[in-house]
Amino acid sequence: MRIVAIGSKLSDFEVGCYRTLMKYSADGHAVNLVIAGNTTKWKEKDLALANEKCKKIGITKVYFTDKFDEHSVTQENVRTLHSIIKKVNPCLAILPFHKTSVKKREILANSAILACRGIKNILMYEITKNKNFSPNIFFTFEKKSPGKPMMMTSEINSSIRRKAAQKFSSNKIGTDKLTEAFESLRVLLLDSSEMV
Amino acid sequence: MPLFGVDKRMKVVSVGAHPDDIELGMGGTLAKHTARGDDAQIILCTLGGVSGDPRQREEEARKGAQVLGIKKLHILDYPVSKLNKPSIEFEKIIKKVVEEINPQRIYTHSPFDYHQVHIAISKAVSNGAKEVNQILFYEYISSTTPNFIPNAYVDITKYIDLKIKSASQHKSQSVRLYIKPNVIRSLANTRYISAKLGSNPSGLAEAFVINKMIL
């Protein structure tokens, strides 16, 4: 199945949903990333490097948007994201959490929600402390499992990633596992996405 | 591998306060579970208190469950009067029954409900079934509050007739507005459209709030 994850930079994925994306990739799903920023600021060399690193860890394709307006939810923003979503035609979209105090991320999240109309499964991740975020879907991972070597970006070290993965661990899950937590915007259960 | 859930048949249990709650709240979903070969069971907490003869309501509940293909119906027959508020005693009973069944997923009443017995059962299940990885709340049209904001859906377009048939087994409740087929269809159609599940104008869905899903 096809999955798309949207973020404003590579480190968003690393802190918010990296292990989940890797799990999906390992299970044979096609994982696509959309980096919605103003890529005109990026150098060609950096883009190529990011693309290469993502491919190495099993990401099917990385899409970079150009001139994403980080100041407001615009028709153009939504249209840009929607054109990629239409191309990928995913059955699951993973977006940043929309009720955040970080303005840029809020704009991206709301644009992405509009762009993902028609997608049956939408999960949202959060990368900073946020009292509005009430996760209800938890992906668990063995603590000892080393996982694939990454890094998509060099500035995020593994201990930060581990802390990010653990931050929503609670009694509900136990302490012997790492967890990545998501809030569901909508999921369609008992469909092909849940059980074959 | 699927995106959610497990790559095998599931064991699920649905917990309801009164005999018609489950059929109205998630009858289509249960029919879909059983059609897929899942082991779906029902825990019925009370036999309805003052709203009918308990023997008749038990019989109706059995017939309703049979229509949905449920193989096991656990009738606790707990006194309704003791469920007007959360009860530790009842929580222990639920815990024991759930441990015996050992399901992968539980569906129960939502805490976003005006009915105090529904709230008490919702809390008892949430607390008593902590070991179960997946707990979802279903809605009950006559008493759900506006705070019930669904975030999970099941497409029941093909199962609506079974849902209506199972609800109609509760003949003692047939005068109630919310058990009428057009009311059941109307809510299901609204849920399908508002969730943007597809482009079928006659599409029907049941809505849930996820308490937790540990995958």
Side-chain angles (χ1 to χ4, degrees), chain B:
Chain B
M1 282 293 286
L3 293 177
F4 313 117
V6 287
D7 197 14
K8 58 182 179 188
R9 299 298 165 212
M10 293 174 81
K11 188 188 262 191
V12 301
V13 66
S14 177
V15 186
H18 309 99
D20 57 354
D21 291 355
I22 290 169
E23 287 88 334
L24 289 169
M26 52 164 301
T29 301
L30 279 181
K32 196 166 187 176
H33 269 298
T34 56
R36 295 156 63 93
D38 291 343
D39 179 359
Q41 303 187 19
I42 285 178
I43 298 174
L44 185 53
C45 300
T46 77
L47 285 174
V50 294
S51 55
D53 171 21
R55 276 173 303 177
Q56 184 189 357
R57 297 213 71 186
E58 182 179 339
E59 188 55 29
E60 290 169 353
R62 290 195 187 283
K63 284 181 180 169
Q66 201 177 3
V67 169
L68 298 174
I70 303 295
K71 290 195 181 112
K72 212 159 186 185
L73 173 65
H74 307 260
I75 297 177
L76 305 183
D77 196 11
Y78 196 79
V80 180
S81 56
K82 285 173 134 185
L83 282 172
N84 286 330
K85 55 185 179 183
S87 143
I88 299 286
E89 181 192 88
F90 183 69
E91 197 178 301
K92 283 180 186 163
I93 293 171
I94 283 285
K95 189 174 192 289
K96 190 166 173 270
V97 179
V98 168
E99 273 174 5
E100 279 167 18
I101 300 171
N102 190 24
Q104 285 146 319
R105 177 180 296 172
I106 295 188
Y107 298 95
T108 188
H109 285 284
S110 108
F112 314 112
D113 202 294
Y114 293 116
H115 200 308
Q116 71 276 19
V117 176
H118 295 177
I119 297 170
I121 285 172
S122 180
K123 287 185 178 165
V125 174
S126 299
N127 292 334
K130 277 189 180 134
E131 301 304 315
V132 179
N133 277 349
Q134 301 186 16
I135 300 180
L136 291 97
F137 300 132
Y138 59 82
E139 68 178 324
Y140 189 72
I141 187 166
S142 68
S143 59
T144 297
T145 73
N147 294 331
F148 183 91
I149 300 170
N151 50 23
Y153 300 86
V154 174
D155 185 335
I156 59 155
T157 310
K158 290 180 186 163
Y159 300 91
I160 191 69
D161 292 337
L162 281 174
K163 174 170 180 161
I164 290 170
K165 193 177 171 191
S166 69
S168 71
Q169 302 305 309
H170 296 270
K171 293 197 170 32
S172 62
Q173 309 299 306
S174 61
V175 292
R176 312 261 188 207
L177 179 68
Y178 52 80
I179 211 163
K180 306 289 181 203
N182 60 330
V183 176
I184 295 173
R185 276 183 185 278
S186 168
L187 176 67
N189 187 234
T190 303
R191 287 307 187 197
Y192 181 93
I193 300 296
S194 65
K196 300 170 184 70
L197 296 186
S199 52
N200 176 6
S202 310
L204 303 160
E206 280 172 345
F208 300 88
V209 169
I210 301 171
N211 178 23
K212 63 170 178 178
M213 277 182 83
I214 301 171
L215 302 167

Side-chain angles (χ1 to χ4, degrees), chain A residues 25-90:
Chain A
S25 172
D27 287 348
H29 300 292
V31 178
N32 298 270
L33 300 185
V34 179
I35 299 172
N38 193 339
T39 50
T40 51
K41 288 178 193 165
W42 290 44
K43 289 176 189 162
E44 280 294 319
K45 203 177 79 180
D46 294 338
L47 283 175
L49 193 66
N51 226 328
E52 192 188 319
K53 281 184 176 175
C54 288
K55 278 195 177 154
K56 259 187 198 167
I57 55 167
I59 301 294
T60 306
K61 190 159 183 181
V62 188
Y63 296 86
F64 297 93
T65 69
D66 195 13
K67 295 175 185 162
F68 191 84
D69 188 340
E70 292 167 340
H71 305 289
S72 60
V73 179
T74 64
Q75 287 284 353
E76 195 50 44
N77 279 353
V78 176
R79 209 175 294 133
T80 306
L81 290 175
H82 187 61
S83 66
I84 298 170
I85 297 293
K86 218 172 146 186
K87 211 181 289 176
V88 177
N89 189 21

Side-chain angles (χ1 to χ4, degrees), chain A residues 3-189:
Chain A
I3 293 159
V4 69
I6 299 177
S8 58
K9 48 190 186 294
L10 283 169
S11 58
D12 287 2
F13 303 113
E14 292 206 42
V15 179
C17 54
Y18 171 77
R19 282 175 182 264
T20 304
L21 296 180
M22 289 306 96
K23 178 188 178 298
Y24 278 140
S25 172
D27 287 348
H29 300 292
V31 178
N32 298 270
L33 300 185
V34 179
I35 299 172
N38 193 339
T39 50
T40 51
K41 288 178 193 165
W42 290 44
K43 289 176 189 162
E44 280 294 319
K45 203 177 79 180
D46 294 338
L47 283 175
L49 193 66
N51 226 328
E52 192 188 319
K53 281 184 176 175
C54 288
K55 278 195 177 154
K56 259 187 198 167
I57 55 167
I59 301 294
T60 306
K61 190 159 183 181
V62 188
Y63 296 86
F64 297 93
T65 69
D66 195 13
K67 295 175 185 162
F68 191 84
D69 188 340
E70 292 167 340
H71 305 289
S72 60
V73 179
T74 64
Q75 287 284 353
E76 195 50 44
N77 279 353
V78 176
R79 209 175 294 133
T80 306
L81 290 175
H82 187 61
S83 66
I84 298 170
I85 297 293
K86 218 172 146 186
K87 211 181 289 176
V88 177
N89 189 21
C91 55
L92 168 65
I94 300 178
L95 317 178
F97 184 59
H98 62 312
K99 291 177 192 166
T100 169
S101 56
V102 182
K103 196 71 187 160
K104 273 185 350 190
R105 212 175 311 128
E106 184 195 346
I107 287 161
L108 173 59
N110 286 326
S111 305
I113 289 171
L114 289 172
C116 286
R117 56 188 179 270
I119 307 300
K120 290 173 182 171
N121 300 291
I122 299 180
L123 303 181
M124 297 180 291
Y125 63 87
E126 180 55 294
I127 58 175
T128 49
K129 275 187 183 170
N130 182 347
K131 63 179 180 185
N132 295 326
F133 187 60
S134 310
N136 47 27
I137 295 191
F138 305 87
F139 288 86
T140 55
F141 310 92
E142 293 303 324
K143 253 183 187 170
K144 284 172 188 167
S145 70
K148 281 187 184 179
M150 50 174 322
M151 303 289 296
M152 288 199 258
T153 51
S154 54
E155 70 267 30
I156 305 290
N157 66 36
S158 58
S159 70
I160 291 175
R161 186 159 54 86
R162 196 163 50 246
K163 275 180 194 163
Q166 276 178 314
K167 66 187 169 188
F168 298 110
S169 289
S170 68
N171 292 336
K172 286 192 275 192
I173 295 158
T175 52
D176 58 330
K177 296 200 169 179
L178 290 174
T179 309
E180 269 181 1
F182 299 87
E183 192 171 316
S184 159
L185 187 67
R186 59 173 175 263
V187 295
L188 183 62
L189 301 174

